[in-house]
Amino acid sequence: MADSSARNLNYQQSQQQTEQPKKTIVLNPKSVPWTAFEKSLVVLGSLITLGLMILLVSASISATSAQHKLANVEQTIISQKSHNTDLRQKIGELTSTTRINKIARDQGLHLVESNIRNVR
């Protein structure tokens, strides 16, 4: 019986001697290391975001430029319409019967009523 207790004692002592102190790793949940995949996703997302921002700004600039060109064309159209209206008014004034009769009288011409035929 003494023999078995000595074996248990030796076994417990040898087990305690062979156990080495374990290193405990303390992880801070606020600073978890990033994997290469996560880093590449962040870089790719940032590049896509930057590209879309540049695209948005350039689209806005081109839209503004197109609006300025449209405004210039509309202004030119309005100016041409006004000019055409002025020319039509001038044509109306130059072709009026009173003016033609006045020029005819100044040239010594006269109107013969019997030669006029009205067609309706």
Side-chain angles (χ1 to χ4, degrees), residues 47-113:
L47 290 175
I48 289 173
T49 303
L50 181 66
L52 289 175
M53 287 178 5
I54 291 171
L55 183 68
L56 180 66
V57 169
S58 66
S60 175
I61 289 172
S62 65
T64 303
S65 175
Q67 282 181 336
H68 286 299
K69 288 179 183 177
L70 178 64
N72 290 339
V73 168
E74 286 177 345
Q75 185 65 33
T76 304
I77 289 171
I78 290 171
S79 173
Q80 285 297 322
K81 283 183 178 181
S82 173
H83 182 68
N84 288 346
T85 305
D86 291 345
L87 289 177
R88 283 190 187 110
Q89 184 178 0
K90 195 169 190 178
I91 289 171
E93 290 172 0
L94 292 175
T95 58
S96 70
T97 55
T98 56
R99 181 178 177 276
I100 292 174
N101 289 335
K102 181 182 173 193
I103 292 173
R105 275 193 309 259
D106 290 344
Q107 298 292 325
L109 300 173
H110 65 285
L111 183 63
V112 178
E113 293 287 333

Side-chain angles (χ1 to χ4, degrees), residues 15-57:
Q15 191 179 25
Q16 289 175 359
Q17 290 173 0
T18 58
E19 287 183 15
Q20 296 175 356
K22 294 183 180 179
K23 294 181 182 177
T24 58
I25 300 173
V26 178
L27 294 177
N28 186 357
K30 292 183 181 177
S31 64
V32 177
W34 289 40
T35 64
F37 179 69
E38 290 172 333
K39 289 178 184 177
S40 63
L41 279 179
V42 168
V43 169
L44 182 65
S46 299
L47 290 175
I48 289 173
T49 303
L50 181 66
L52 289 175
M53 287 178 5
I54 291 171
L55 183 68
L56 180 66
V57 169

